[in-house]
Amino acid sequence: AQTVTQSQPEMSVQEAETVTLSCTYDTSESDYYLFWYKQPPSRQMILVIRQEAYKQQNATENRFSVNFQKAAKSFSLKISDSQLGDAAMYFCAYRSAEGDDKIIFGKGTRLHILP
Amino acid sequence: DSGVTQTPKHLITATGQRVTLRCSPRSGDLSVYWYQQSLDQGLQFLIQYYNGEERAKGNILERFSAQQFPDLHSELNLSSLELGDSALYFCASSVVGQGLNYGYTFGSGTRLTVV
């Protein structure tokens, strides 16, 4: 079974600085998708960025980018120029492209932005 | 508005009672997923329906059941409620198919409090 591990329960970063959230996953599949979701205090789940495993190029969405290392099964999220609105719980997630398509979530990293 | 509608937003009920949570997926999405998020925890997959049929099952308790109706809305039924069932219940919907790299679209959740 696939698993997703986020080893940092909490992190803090100074406003305008850069922070990297770590994620590792375990799978025997070769085709899958990876996601980062953001959950602000409103509790809404918001898709931040996604990565297809077959693509070597790292995904980027404005200030958010990922470092996808397929061989190492690592998928970290980098947030540049951190803003107060980035404060949230961030979940790393995995979705198979081969079997059932449920998304498996990590336990999350709570990110604090220090003014 | 994500396009996924969950009702009610909040629910307070007593132990031993039964409740029904409702979800209307985003227009065009055939697949509905239910997740449970306990306090400060990650999202636990409960069950998935695709076009009216159960497609995948997670660690869903026998006291819980779900169904998807011909109009594609879904209901999650929770019975013999216990204090530990207090959680945020999310519904999500997506397009399903090989090669699609979309994450889910989440509803805003139903906050269930069992007293």
Side-chain angles (χ1 to χ4, degrees):
Chain A
Q2 298 86 11
T3 58
V4 177
T5 302
Q6 294 178 251
S7 59
Q8 305 150 313
E10 283 194 72
M11 293 189 72
S12 296
V13 62
Q14 208 74 32
E15 193 176 2
E17 297 296 307
T18 295
V19 64
T20 298
L21 280 57
S22 301
C23 172
T24 59
Y25 58 94
D26 189 26
T27 184
S28 58
E29 298 174 338
S30 59
D31 195 13
Y32 49 87
Y33 310 112
L34 297 166
F35 307 92
W36 280 96
Y37 277 87
K38 169 185 178 181
Q39 187 179 41
S42 68
R43 304 295 252 177
Q44 179 70 46
M45 293 291 289
I46 302 166
L47 179 62
V48 174
I49 198 166
R50 59 176 176 245
Q51 174 80 42
E52 296 93 326
Y54 63 85
K55 288 187 177 179
Q56 290 188 337
Q57 186 174 6
N58 290 322
T60 298
E61 290 285 344
N62 300 313
R63 299 183 294 107
F64 298 87
S65 61
V66 298
N67 183 2
F68 173 49
Q69 303 288 331
K70 191 172 184 179
K73 296 180 183 175
S74 170
F75 183 61
S76 60
L77 174 69
K78 185 172 83 171
I79 305 174
S80 304
D81 185 26
S82 298
Q83 300 175 0
L84 294 177
D86 295 333
M89 190 74 128
Y90 286 83
F91 293 99
C92 179
Y94 172 102
R95 183 181 190 181
S96 171
E98 299 175 9
D100 67 59
D101 63 348
K102 67 178 182 289
I103 292 183
I104 299 165
F105 289 87
K107 292 191 180 299
T109 296
R110 185 172 299 282
L111 179 65
H112 302 278
I113 310 296
L114 307 173
Chain B
D1 182 9
S2 68
V4 178
T5 303
Q6 285 189 251
T7 56
K9 291 193 183 303
H10 301 277
L11 198 50
I12 301 175
T13 190
T15 55
Q17 294 299 304
R18 181 179 188 275
V19 297
T20 297
L21 313 183
R22 182 187 169 102
C23 169
S24 294
R26 192 179 55 170
S27 178
D29 288 352
L30 300 179
S31 201
V32 170
Y33 312 78
W34 287 97
Y35 282 80
Q36 179 192 56
Q37 184 180 29
S38 300
L39 187 63
D40 289 334
Q41 294 293 310
L43 279 77
Q44 298 296 317
F45 172 70
L46 294 178
I47 198 163
Q48 177 198 359
Y49 277 82
Y50 175 71
N51 203 21
E53 299 292 325
E54 182 183 304
R55 183 162 172 141
K57 214 167 186 176
N59 294 325
I60 186 168
L61 299 172
E62 286 193 10
R63 300 183 286 108
F64 296 1
S65 64
Q67 56 185 325
Q68 187 179 28
F69 295 87
D71 67 352
L72 300 178
H73 91 271
S74 178
E75 293 181 357
L76 179 66
N77 301 296
L78 315 176
S79 62
S80 302
L81 285 167
E82 303 174 358
L83 296 177
D85 297 327
S86 296
L88 188 57
Y89 290 85
F90 281 107
C91 168
S93 71
S94 81
V95 179
V96 172
Q98 187 66 26
L100 293 173
N101 64 344
Y102 301 111
Y104 299 159
T105 300
F106 279 86
S108 57
T110 293
R111 167 72 67 188
L112 173 66
T113 302
V114 183
V115 297

